[in-house]
Amino acid sequence: MQLGMIGLGRMGANMARRLMRGGHQCVVYDRSPDSVKALAAEGAKGSDSLAALVAGLAKPRAVWIMVPAGAATESTVTELAGLLEPGDTIIDGGNTFFKDDIRRAKALAAKQITYVDAGTSGGVFGLERGYCMMIGGDPATVTRLDPIFKTLAPGRGTVERTPGREKKTGPGATSEDGYLHCGPVGSGHFVKMVHNGIEYGIMQALAEGFDIMRGAGNPTVAEEHRFDLPVADIAEVWRRGSVLSSWLVDLTAKALIEDPALSKFSGHVQDSGEGRWTVMAAIEEAVPADVIAASLFTRFRSRQDQSFAEKVLSAMRFQFGGHVERPTGG
């Protein structure tokens, strides 16, 4: 198939490469001419504008947007809406808020342009590993684009089959290959949103666990209960046979063997927005999401040296009990 790819950053460029390796033709655009030139040298058809990208695609066109969620995606969709024609399709593979997908799809439907949301997980390793995709859109459009999704997906590989899964046919059968049509427009990014919210919680639990183990040698711990634990080696052993074994543990082990003290990291942790949206969805549905909410708030806290709230706590402790806080490091 032929696909237009807009956004040649850490994921977009490698997605185009994976598609070309699979025999698809890619017409590419990025605000950076050097990024376009690099992909063109590898066999893609480069474009110097969105208009040129659209002109370089055969009808019905399919254009995949891989730019940051928010204003960048909004402006790209708006410009494309003025360039594409009835029967064409826009695919948003970024981390868009699902309610924005639904709004955009309605606006594009008036022009008979279809819209697909493809929540994409795989990061910088996707070129070789493939991309897990959670897709929302009308069945006919998603089916037409299946060759694209199938090529980008990891495939079954060596992952052991879930017992009973061999009997599964029809909708959902592609889940074993690493991609799934989740439902109508918005559902793909909704599932990816929850995926990332869960990721926040798992990452936070792992981070806290390693912090506890590192702190086991702290002088404040009773000497007979003190341990100097080989944290990097613990991460490695957990990769092998443990119920915690996962890609996140793999990446943690890699980081700790490269830099045991993690000295090059400040501890300032950003959030992509999807953790916030997951908590918002939980509130709307009245579903308790204690772990995800706590992990999100921890990321907020990581960006402050001392918050005003902590100063209020210190002030209250001093007022009711005369407790004087020690200076930092004291």
Side-chain angles (χ1 to χ4, degrees):
M1 280 188 73
Q2 187 187 50
L3 181 76
M5 179 66 74
I6 299 171
L8 304 176
R10 288 175 296 177
M11 287 182 68
N14 278 346
M15 292 172 77
R17 290 184 177 102
R18 187 172 174 91
L19 286 168
M20 290 190 293
R21 287 182 183 180
H24 301 280
Q25 181 190 11
C26 288
V27 182
V28 301
Y29 170 73
D30 190 274
R31 289 184 301 175
S32 165
D34 289 341
S35 297
V36 175
K37 188 181 298 184
L39 264 293
E42 297 178 39
K45 182 178 179 180
S47 308
D48 59 6
S49 67
L50 292 185
L53 179 138
V54 170
L57 291 168
K59 303 176 186 179
R61 306 175 183 92
V63 182
W64 191 300
I65 301 172
M66 209 66 190
V67 301
T73 298
E74 190 73 30
S75 62
T76 303
V77 170
T78 299
E79 186 172 349
L80 283 174
L83 296 169
L84 296 175
E85 299 178 86
D88 293 342
T89 301
I90 293 175
I91 309 155
D92 180 5
N95 286 332
T96 289
F97 186 37
F98 74 97
K99 293 182 180 179
D100 289 335
D101 291 318
I102 295 168
R103 170 180 54 79
R104 291 171 187 156
K106 288 180 179 177
L108 290 167
K111 299 175 176 285
Q112 298 179 49
I113 299 169
T114 53
Y115 182 96
V116 170
D117 53 293
T120 307
S121 180
V124 296
F125 297 92
L127 176 59
E128 302 301 332
R129 291 172 59 107
Y131 301 88
C132 174
M133 288 168 290
M134 296 138 269
I135 303 158
D138 74 85
T141 302
V142 173
T143 298
R144 179 170 66 84
L145 296 170
D146 186 75
I148 295 294
F149 299 132
K150 190 174 184 66
T151 300
L152 288 172
R156 296 185 184 181
T158 59
V159 178
E160 186 178 344
R161 298 193 82 175
T162 301
R165 176 55 68 171
E166 69 278 0
K167 301 174 184 177
K168 180 74 176 180
T169 58
T174 63
S175 58
E176 283 193 293
D177 293 309
Y179 69 105
L180 178 68
H181 182 204
C182 298
V185 168
S187 64
H189 276 147
F190 184 89
V191 174
K192 177 57 164 50
M193 173 190 77
V194 176
H195 166 284
N196 281 27
I198 293 169
E199 180 183 294
Y200 278 38
I202 295 172
M203 291 174 70
Q204 184 63 32
L206 286 169
E208 291 175 6
F210 280 100
D211 201 10
I212 293 167
M213 289 189 291
R214 187 170 182 267
N218 194 310
T220 60
V221 177
E223 188 173 357
E224 65 269 27
H225 299 151
R226 212 175 290 165
F227 303 108
D228 182 15
L229 296 171
V231 178
D233 294 332
I234 292 167
E236 184 63 32
V237 78
W238 282 359
R239 295 182 61 216
R240 303 172 187 280
S242 164
V243 294
L244 294 180
S245 59
S246 64
W247 192 24
L248 289 174
V249 173
D250 292 347
L251 297 175
T252 302
K254 182 174 183 292
L256 288 171
I257 200 67
E258 291 173 349
D259 180 8
L262 301 181
S263 55
K264 65 182 179 182
F265 299 98
S266 68
H268 179 112
V269 186
Q270 288 289 359
D271 67 286
S272 64
E274 296 201 296
R276 303 184 190 205
W277 300 335
T278 303
V279 172
M280 288 164 53
I283 292 169
E284 290 179 358
E285 298 168 15
V287 172
D290 308 57
V291 171
I292 295 173
S295 64
L296 173 64
F297 296 151
T298 298
R299 294 194 179 199
F300 295 164
R301 174 65 186 85
S302 76
R303 301 166 207 166
Q304 302 174 339
D305 290 328
Q306 264 107 27
S307 70
F308 184 72
E310 288 167 332
K311 294 178 183 179
V312 172
L313 287 173
S314 291
M316 285 190 289
R317 292 185 77 245
F318 175 76
Q319 293 296 330
F320 71 66
H323 303 289
V324 178
E325 301 294 339
R326 293 181 180 181
T328 301

